[in-house]
């Protein structure tokens, strides 16, 4: 009998700190914090909606949420997440179901990691 191995996925999350710095320079610190926090909330909602819509077979709705997530990722300088969003847009609703599942799982992992990375940056001076 063979043993089942559990692979622990660890993703490297890349942030463009200059993008965040620019946001804080364009807005006052309080306004920037509000905007970033709202964007992080929206990002978490998008991740949940994408999963729900994909599981429900609502490909076009999932693609709409992925585009919203992509806009948030670009605004906050989440370069890895933005790249995976583009990959997901290519696969959702297509014929490669296994590839789509893999990319959406990665999107979720990197999305959660990106949330944590930005929260950590907010605790430090941007």
């Amino acid at each position: 009998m063979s043993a089942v191995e559990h692979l622990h996925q660890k993703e490297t999350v890349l942030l463009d700190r200059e993008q965040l710095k620019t946001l804080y320079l364009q807005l006052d610190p309080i306004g920037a914090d509000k905007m970033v926090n709202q964007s992080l909330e929206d990002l978490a909602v998008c991740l949940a909606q994408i999963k729900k819509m994909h599981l429900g077979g609502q490909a076009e709705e999932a693609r709409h949420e992925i585009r919203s997530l992509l806009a948030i990722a670009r605004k906050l300088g989440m370069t890895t997440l933005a790249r995976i969003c583009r990959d997901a847009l290519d696969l959702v609703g297509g014929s490669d179901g296994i590839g789509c599942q893999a990319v959406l799982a990665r999107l979720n992992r990197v999305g959660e990691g990106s949330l944590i990375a930005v929260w950590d940056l907010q605790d430090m001076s941007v």
Side-chain angles (χ1 to χ4, degrees):
M1 183 183 283
S2 61
V4 175
E5 288 290 325
H6 293 281
L7 301 176
H8 298 284
Q9 304 277 334
K10 179 153 171 79
E11 297 281 350
T12 301
V13 173
L14 298 177
L15 295 177
D16 180 357
R17 291 177 67 127
E18 290 301 313
Q19 177 66 26
L20 283 173
K21 198 181 284 187
T22 300
L23 287 173
Y24 276 82
L25 291 174
Q26 289 175 346
L27 305 170
D28 63 277
I30 293 171
D33 277 341
K34 283 182 181 180
M35 189 276 303
V36 169
N37 288 331
Q38 183 61 55
S39 295
L40 293 176
E41 271 186 53
D42 294 344
L43 189 151
V45 169
C46 281
L47 287 172
Q49 289 290 67
I50 291 165
K51 185 175 186 177
K52 178 182 172 186
M53 290 172 178
H54 179 69
L55 290 174
Q58 300 169 296
E60 204 47 50
E61 292 85 348
R63 291 174 56 77
H64 175 75
E65 288 295 322
I66 293 167
R67 284 190 285 277
S68 296
L69 184 60
L70 176 58
I72 294 167
R74 286 179 175 158
K75 179 170 55 174
L76 297 180
M78 298 174 168
T79 56
T80 306
L81 183 58
R83 186 177 65 245
I84 297 168
C85 284
R86 291 189 300 270
D87 293 342
L89 284 171
D90 289 341
L91 291 169
V92 169
S95 61
D96 185 0
I98 293 171
C100 182
Q101 292 286 7
V103 168
L104 290 178
R106 186 167 186 234
L107 181 76
N108 198 53
R109 282 192 309 273
V110 171
E112 290 174 1
S114 296
L115 281 169
I116 293 166
V118 172
W119 281 331
D120 288 347
L121 276 180
Q122 281 185 299
D123 290 340
M124 298 185 290
S125 155
V126 180

